[in-house]
Amino acid sequence: MLLIPCPWCGPRDEAEFHYGGQAHVAYPEDPAALSDEEWARYLFFRDNPKGLFAERWSHTAGCRRWFNAVRDTATNEIHAVYRTGEPRPVIA
């Protein structure tokens, strides 16, 4: 079982959350100006590192808020959580 610490509700079981993908992906300024290839890159191409990765999560069975988490994809350990709009914490 993975415990995910919601910034508002505290640690909760992973079953209460919905994964939202990679964090800090900027929406294109003018999507209509993108080629099909550029639009496909925006929609489907994401980083897939082994190690620390910033992700978006939604506490769907709790406060229903979105937040970001830095998780180690190799161990599933969550190193930090922070609210949407806050900068990613520096982790040594």
Side-chain angles (χ1 to χ4, degrees):
M1 172 176 72
L2 178 64
L3 282 179
I4 299 175
C6 173
W8 292 274
C9 304
R12 300 289 193 270
D13 184 85
E14 66 183 302
E16 294 188 17
F17 296 88
H18 177 79
Y19 179 74
Q22 182 176 348
H24 309 290
V25 176
Y27 189 78
E29 287 185 31
D30 186 8
L34 298 179
S35 68
D36 288 346
E37 183 178 340
E38 291 168 326
W39 185 243
R41 276 203 164 281
Y42 167 72
L43 289 177
F44 303 115
F45 286 70
R46 296 290 183 257
D47 295 337
N48 188 22
K50 180 178 181 182
L52 297 181
F53 188 53
E55 305 169 324
R56 299 180 67 222
W57 288 86
S58 174
H59 192 183
T60 52
C63 63
R64 302 182 60 92
R65 294 181 181 179
W66 284 93
F67 63 94
N68 297 324
V70 177
R71 181 178 64 91
D72 188 319
T73 60
T75 64
N76 267 344
E77 180 182 356
I78 295 178
H79 291 266
V81 293
Y82 53 105
R83 297 175 181 189
T84 302
E86 293 179 350
R88 178 180 171 167
V90 176
I91 299 171

